[in-house]
Amino acid sequence: PILSAVLVVAWLLLSGFTPAQLVLGMLFGVLMPWITRRFFDEPFGHLRGVRAAGRAFTFTLLVLWDIVIANVVVARLVLGPPGRLRPAFIEVPLEIEQPLAIALLGCIITMTPGTVSSEISADRRRLLVHVLDAPDPDAVVRQIKARYEQRLKEIFA
């Protein structure tokens, strides 16, 4: 029910508040969770409790902040001298094991300008990330693990 309500509200925010859109949003909000239910063992079962919800909310704010800052950094890099970019593919070893948490980490990395998650290893233990400017690849790995992976571990614990 919570996922359905979120989908309806998102639909209305994206398409506008009209009676027809409300009906479509409600249809979408009921059908999408029903259609995708087989992809989740226990839909969002790891996010139970007030503590996890609070952590998820603050984590969302952190990610949004990082996206804004990364936009500014990437703009400065792209508009600056082209020779100073040091692009690299970096392997990030993963400690998180839940498929949903791994998928979220990959999405967060991709949504943040200047980084793209390219591949997850077959054993789900490494994530290949392309970074637009990586003067210190180890620092990038440490930042991803501390800023995102550690917080996802706390949320999905």
Side-chain angles (χ1 to χ4, degrees):
I2 293 171
L3 178 59
S4 293
V6 168
L7 289 172
V8 170
V9 169
W11 180 269
L12 291 173
L13 288 173
L14 291 170
S15 63
F17 294 92
T18 65
Q21 292 299 336
L22 177 62
V23 171
L24 282 173
M26 290 171 60
L27 184 64
F28 179 70
V30 170
L31 287 178
M32 288 312 293
W34 182 74
I35 291 169
T36 61
R37 73 186 182 286
R38 64 186 175 100
F39 295 112
F40 302 101
D41 324 358
E42 186 180 340
F44 305 100
H46 299 289
L47 297 179
R48 290 196 178 132
V50 174
R51 175 176 277 162
R55 286 182 179 161
F57 178 74
T58 56
F59 182 63
T60 301
L61 294 177
L62 171 80
V63 170
L64 291 173
W65 175 255
D66 285 354
I67 289 171
V68 169
I69 297 301
N71 272 294
V72 173
V73 170
V74 167
R76 291 174 78 196
L77 286 169
V78 170
L79 295 174
R84 58 175 217 198
L85 290 178
R86 294 156 294 215
F89 280 98
I90 299 170
E91 268 197 3
V92 179
L94 299 177
E95 295 173 29
I96 53 178
E97 296 177 0
Q98 295 89 351
L100 182 57
I102 294 170
L104 281 173
L105 178 62
C107 288
I108 289 165
I109 289 169
T110 299
M111 286 188 305
T112 307
T115 56
V116 175
S117 76
S118 303
E119 182 179 57
I120 179 96
S121 64
D123 63 357
R124 297 186 202 160
R125 304 308 306 154
R126 292 174 314 283
L127 185 64
L128 184 64
V129 176
H130 181 268
V131 182
L132 180 64
D133 186 41
D136 182 4
D138 292 332
V140 173
V141 171
R142 284 192 303 273
Q143 182 180 12
I144 289 172
K145 292 186 76 55
R147 198 150 179 93
Y148 303 128
E149 185 184 32
Q150 183 59 38
R151 287 177 168 91
L152 284 170
K153 280 174 52 177
E154 292 170 4
I155 291 169
F156 285 89

